[in-house]
Amino acid sequence: MTELARHTEHASPLIIPVEGMSCASCVARVEKAAAKVPGVAASAVNFATESLTVEPQAGFSAPELAEAIRKAGYEPKAESTMVALAKPLDERQGKRLQAALAAMPGFLSTELEAGRAEITVEAFGRDLRRRVIALLKAEGLTLAGPKPVHGEGAGAHHAHHEHAASEDHAGHSHHDEDAGVLRRDLTIAAILTLPLFVLEMGGHLYAPFHHWLMGAVDTQWLYLGYFALATAVIFGPGFRFLKTGIPALLRGHPEMNALVAIGVLSAYAYSTVTTFTPQLLPEAARFVYFEAATVIVTLILTGRLLEARARGRTGAAIRRLIGLQAKTARVERDGETLDLPADEVEIGDILVVRPGERIAVDGTVIDGASNIDESMISGEPLPVAKQAGSPVIGGTINGTGSFRFRAEKVGADTMLSQIIRLVEQAQGAKLPIQAVVDRVTAWFVPAVMAVAALTFGVWLLVGPEPVLPHALVAAVAVLIIACPCAMGLATPTSIMVGTGRAADLGVLFRKGAALQELQAVRLVVLDKTGTVTKGRPDLTDIRLADGFDEASVLSAIAAVEARSEHPVAEAIVSAVAARGLSVPQATDVQASAGYGIEAVVDGQRVAVGADRFMQKLGLSVEPFAAEAERLGDEGKTPLYAAIDGKLAAILAVADPLKPTSREAIARLKAMGLTVAMVTGDNARTAHAIARQVGIDQVVAEVLPAGKVEALRALKEKTGNVAFVGDGINDAPALAEADIGIAIGTGTDVAIESADVVLSSGDLSAAVDAIAVSRATMTNIRQNLFWAFGYNVALIPLAAGALYPAFGIQLSPMIGAGAMALSSVFVLTNALRLRTMDLQGERA
């Protein structure tokens, strides 16, 4: 696969984890706060990953961005790294370095002092350690050097580098940490809530228990016990809701925590007044709702725990990719072999790879040989043979051999880093459908608070006795049951899981909107060479005249063709070498432009060329007329060989089909799509290939501009068009199509022009891309239907819509449980994409 290093839409967008975003209404506030910071070209929050992506431009200041996010009530998380120098800094060096670091993209702060040799840097963005090391070297500073390798376990003394090497992984595992804290707090809340719930609700469910309890324990002491338990729950495990929700309310930007805080505190405060100053309330209104407040906290914590676990699974694709990165590398420098952290490998370093090791960076083999498992990139399960001159890719696993290679791409420029970046950008993308959701959730929480206030007022005026508790319960139920979380999670969680599944299938979405737009495609247009076919000629057929031996004829032909530079000649020589046949030396070589080539091989005069060359030599090709016609119909180029003036063989060289092309095109048709081919190749060959793979519409012999015109004409007839290509000549068509899909083994120009990249180079991946798009958009629509439908149905019930007719009032506890389940439903529905059978996706 070609490099992807230059194929991101912007040079270096910053992806910043943000703590404290508890619901979808937080998204708009963080985005607006970031967008107002000078130097921020664009900002987008992914609620599912709890991260902010900003595109910096001239005038950008990371400290200003961090401060703006904090003022909005949230906490940005930066990366930090420590680097040791060979000798302490002097005062002049310290000042220069401070200024240089301050100019680094995403820089926040540094700890460096004259007379010290340790530097700590904090900044936003990936690959921080490598960026700092590069800057230090540019300033002429020398790092504290590692020790030479001694023995197999020599890398152990670099264990202190493991943290730096796994910074990225830690950035994607914070949901695991959240789950641990939530599990502890939920356990505490549940233990404290259980006796309160049993004592209070047991009496409602079983009258004899209530009478026994009232006789055994004085009501006032019972209420004091309830108060103690509820206080411990609300201001212990439940304090997270108050700590975030109350300040948000005071700032005039209420969010989900504010709804929970108001609901819980309303029930708690009312119950506290009943417990300590009951005389302030009418006798008919002296009720306590401590159990409602504590059960609400417990249920919402349960939902948050389930949500944290599910969110952790949604990010599995990124964590899996990050896990492929090697932690250390064995490097030859200055005559010594050193074990270094992978992020300290430099371009030009010579790396030693032993059997079974993971390759650290991208490069080219200089000596040695082995077979390498490249399935993570190509999806091909068979190991790939490597020898001097072969490219190797960081993250792939060496087999049983050993070799040395020269590092050519390191850090963020490696193919694996670029794939991670593309997947991250796709997962953090805002689809057009999400814009509607964001607009709704921006006003949703204030609207819910208004409905709760209205509900309280109406029941206070017209409600049944006791009026005050009835109004309070209805208002609290409205506050608790409203859940913009489900709406905010509906789109980004599906995007995360869908794009992660796509990456596993070798599909990389360069532009997030392509995930939504691809499902609307009705016509798929394919380039031929390099897309449907392998893109390089192969020897496909050979038929001998009577009296000739195949091995000797092929050896003689290869000897002649070895003296030619024509691609067809190269294909013949490669095929003969692959069969293990020897290729003798040819002498007295004579080439006839447009006809063929002849030479003397082992004392025999051997001629190879087109039919007109045979005729020029006075030989008739009539014995092979039927075979030549068949080969031509199959899109193959027939060639003839003559030895010592006798016609010896007919052979065919063609650009063969990729093994999966026929099946992939059949799958596209089964999905209800129309498939066409647009190619610059000659019409006869194009139609022959089309017949073999089942394509009905063919436009052949067109220049790059003609491909664009052909696409426009096809689009007018059929609708949205996706174009799949791999060459420089495909770039205009890839840009013109509604969705451009580039074969990842193709040219950089083609990949740059595309919306989707197929890393495996397999046409089946294009089918998978469309199937993933369809499945993801269906999943998003299901999630949005549930999230909006839940609120539309349950908020009126919580407000008491059924009470006048049926006497049914929804308990805040039921509301808390339903609220928690709604988010969990959305997340688990999105996770189905990880195991969905994409073969079954249909129009």
Side-chain angles (χ1 to χ4, degrees):
M1 177 181 173
T2 62
E3 62 166 307
L4 296 175
R6 298 189 299 278
H7 307 317
T8 49
E9 290 186 65
H10 300 278
S12 54
L14 297 177
I15 300 174
I16 306 164
V18 179
E19 293 181 335
M21 294 193 297
S22 57
C23 74
S25 54
C26 302
V27 170
R29 280 190 290 281
V30 175
E31 285 181 348
K32 286 178 182 176
K36 290 178 182 177
V37 175
V40 173
S43 64
V45 168
N46 186 327
F47 181 45
T49 58
E50 296 176 18
S51 63
L52 165 70
T53 300
V54 296
E55 295 170 10
Q57 58 184 8
F60 172 75
S61 166
E64 285 185 29
L65 174 64
E67 184 59 28
I69 295 171
R70 291 191 183 101
K71 282 183 178 178
Y74 308 93
E75 185 61 33
K77 288 179 66 177
E79 298 291 343
S80 179
T81 191
M82 189 275 287
V83 180
L85 297 175
K87 60 181 181 179
L89 295 165
D90 60 35
E91 188 171 350
R92 181 185 62 82
Q93 288 174 323
K95 288 181 179 178
R96 276 190 58 184
L97 183 57
Q98 179 77 48
L101 287 168
M104 187 175 71
F107 173 81
L108 287 171
S109 65
T110 183
E111 294 177 16
L112 59 87
E113 297 175 14
R116 289 189 62 200
E118 289 184 350
I119 300 167
T120 301
V121 180
E122 186 179 36
F124 293 137
R126 305 287 293 280
D127 228 11
L128 176 60
R129 184 175 179 80
R130 183 175 294 281
R131 287 190 286 151
V132 172
I133 289 172
L135 189 147
L136 293 175
K137 291 183 176 179
E139 292 294 316
L141 299 172
T142 306
L143 302 183
K147 296 177 182 178
V149 173
H150 299 293
E152 292 296 307
H157 66 273
H158 288 285
H160 67 281
H161 288 292
E162 285 298 305
H163 172 70
S166 60
E167 283 176 341
D168 289 343
H169 180 74
H172 288 273
S173 61
H174 63 282
H175 291 298
D176 297 332
E177 298 168 20
D178 292 347
V181 174
L182 283 165
R183 192 182 304 109
R184 180 201 66 197
D185 288 354
L186 174 59
T187 302
I188 295 170
I191 291 171
L192 295 175
T193 297
L194 184 62
L196 200 163
F197 181 80
V198 170
L199 291 173
E200 181 62 20
M201 297 305 295
H204 293 292
L205 298 173
Y206 186 58
F209 177 78
H210 173 73
H211 297 312
W212 171 83
L213 187 62
M214 291 299 99
V217 184
D218 182 74
T219 303
Q220 185 62 24
W221 283 106
L222 194 62
Y223 283 3
L224 288 172
Y226 290 172
F227 170 78
L229 290 170
T231 301
V233 171
I234 293 167
F235 294 96
F239 187 67
R240 55 170 44 80
F241 305 122
L242 312 184
K243 182 177 65 176
T244 307
I246 299 303
L249 191 63
L250 295 176
R251 284 193 301 269
H253 299 299
E255 32 83 278
M256 193 60 221
N257 288 306
L259 295 182
V260 175
I262 293 171
V264 168
L265 288 178
S266 298
Y268 176 78
Y270 185 90
S271 304
T272 302
V273 170
T274 301
T275 302
F276 293 101
T277 55
Q279 64 274 14
L280 296 178
L281 300 171
E283 189 170 348
R286 293 172 187 174
F287 295 94
V288 293
Y289 296 96
F290 287 123
E291 85 289 347
T294 57
V295 171
I296 286 167
V297 169
T298 304
L299 286 173
I300 294 175
L301 284 174
T302 302
R304 291 271 175 99
L305 175 59
L306 294 172
E307 189 178 306
R309 286 176 173 173
R311 280 192 187 180
R313 290 195 293 274
T314 61
I318 288 288
R319 286 197 302 278
R320 187 163 53 251
L321 288 168
I322 289 174
L324 295 174
Q325 294 175 318
K327 301 295 187 293
T328 60
R330 181 164 289 216
V331 181
E332 293 181 355
R333 280 187 189 168
D334 302 323
E336 293 183 317
T337 303
L338 311 171
D339 249 14
L340 298 178
D343 55 10
E344 291 185 14
V345 176
E346 299 176 1
I347 293 174
D349 276 341
I350 304 300
L351 280 71
V352 180
V353 182
R354 294 172 296 178
E357 288 187 333
R358 194 177 290 278
I359 295 168
V361 297
D362 298 356
T364 300
V365 176
I366 54 177
D367 58 50
S370 186
N371 292 312
I372 294 180
D373 178 2
E374 294 186 344
S375 57
M376 69 161 211
I377 298 294
S378 65
E380 178 59 50
L382 296 177
V384 180
K386 301 290 181 180
Q387 55 192 2
S390 299
V392 291
I393 300 168
T396 56
I397 300 173
N398 184 30
T400 56
S402 62
F403 59 90
R404 298 190 310 153
F405 75 97
R406 180 174 285 103
E408 294 177 346
K409 292 186 176 64
V410 299
D413 291 333
T414 65
M415 184 185 297
L416 182 57
S417 293
Q418 290 305 314
I419 289 174
I420 291 171
R421 187 176 304 174
L422 286 174
V423 174
E424 279 184 329
Q425 288 178 0
Q427 290 189 339
K430 287 265 182 138
L431 303 192
I433 194 172
Q434 195 172 343
V436 178
V437 180
D438 288 347
R439 284 197 294 270
V440 171
T441 53
W443 57 259
F444 184 81
V445 172
V448 168
M449 295 181 70
V451 171
L454 180 64
T455 299
F456 183 80
V458 169
W459 286 119
L460 204 59
L461 292 174
V462 300
E465 291 294 338
V467 173
L468 187 59
H470 186 95
L472 178 68
V473 168
V476 169
V478 169
L479 288 170
I480 297 301
I481 208 163
C483 184
C485 295
M487 290 186 283
L489 289 169
T491 302
T493 49
S494 296
I495 294 171
M496 282 186 68
V497 182
T499 51
R501 177 73 188 281
D504 290 341
L505 296 167
V507 177
L508 303 173
F509 287 89
R510 289 190 60 241
K511 299 174 184 176
L515 186 63
Q516 178 171 339
E517 294 166 5
L518 192 55
Q519 55 103 30
V521 162
R522 292 293 169 263
L523 170 67
V524 178
V525 179
L526 308 174
D527 173 49
K528 181 184 77 69
T529 307
T531 302
V532 177
T533 64
K534 290 183 177 179
R536 61 179 186 274
D538 275 352
L539 177 64
T540 58
D541 298 82
I542 180 168
R543 185 172 173 185
L544 303 170
D546 293 339
F548 288 92
D549 172 66
E550 182 174 305
S552 59
V553 170
L554 280 175
S555 293
I557 292 172
V560 176
E561 294 288 11
R563 304 298 296 272
S564 170
E565 295 180 355
H566 195 281
V568 169
E570 184 181 338
I572 293 172
V573 173
S574 298
V576 170
R579 298 185 188 199
L581 301 176
S582 61
V583 179
Q585 287 293 322
T587 58
D588 191 19
V589 179
Q590 298 177 20
S592 299
Y595 286 87
I597 187 170
E598 58 182 322
V600 175
V601 179
D602 291 338
Q604 296 177 307
R605 193 75 186 173
V606 181
V608 184
D611 54 357
R612 56 184 174 274
F613 189 38
M614 297 296 109
Q615 291 164 6
K616 183 179 178 182
L617 297 174
L619 298 174
S620 172
V621 296
E622 188 59 32
F624 291 127
E627 189 74 11
E629 186 176 353
R630 178 186 68 80
L631 294 172
D633 289 340
E634 291 177 2
K636 299 174 181 178
T637 303
L639 296 172
Y640 300 87
I643 298 177
D644 281 342
K646 294 180 181 180
L647 189 64
I650 181 173
L651 56 157
V653 173
D655 181 6
L657 290 175
K658 289 184 176 179
T660 57
S661 292
R662 192 177 286 107
E663 178 192 351
I665 289 164
R667 283 180 62 197
L668 287 171
K669 288 184 168 183
M671 294 168 74
L673 297 169
T674 304
V675 184
M677 179 192 292
V678 176
T679 178
D681 208 343
N682 72 74
R684 185 177 183 184
T685 301
H687 282 283
I689 294 295
R691 282 195 301 273
Q692 290 180 53
V693 296
I695 295 176
D696 301 320
Q697 298 184 52
V698 178
V699 180
E701 299 179 8
V702 291
L703 297 173
K707 289 188 177 182
V708 172
E709 292 302 319
L711 275 184
R712 289 173 181 166
L714 289 167
K715 184 175 179 179
E716 286 181 9
K717 295 178 183 177
T718 314
N720 287 17
V721 174
F723 181 81
V724 187
D726 75 318
I728 292 174
N729 62 337
D730 295 324
L734 286 165
E736 173 66 26
D738 296 290
I739 297 294
I741 303 175
I743 301 292
T745 50
T747 63
D748 291 351
V749 175
I751 293 173
E752 185 68 42
S753 305
D755 305 292
V756 182
V757 178
L758 310 180
S759 65
S760 66
D762 188 339
L763 189 56
S764 292
V767 190
D768 291 335
I770 297 170
V772 165
S773 173
R774 288 185 175 186
T776 303
M777 293 310 300
T778 298
N779 197 268
I780 287 172
R781 284 189 283 268
Q782 290 168 348
N783 284 349
L784 290 175
F785 175 81
W786 170 265
F788 282 101
Y790 160 88
N791 283 289
V792 168
L794 292 190
I795 287 179
L797 296 185
L802 294 180
Y803 191 84
F806 303 101
I808 298 173
Q809 185 174 19
L810 203 64
S811 164
M813 288 185 286
I814 296 174
M819 187 204 79
L821 286 173
S822 66
S823 292
V824 173
F825 175 89
V826 164
L827 284 159
T828 51
N829 186 51
L831 286 170
R832 292 191 309 116
L833 288 169
R834 293 174 65 187
T835 54
M836 186 172 290
D837 178 17
L838 298 179
Q839 293 277 357
E841 286 299 304
R842 296 291 183 265

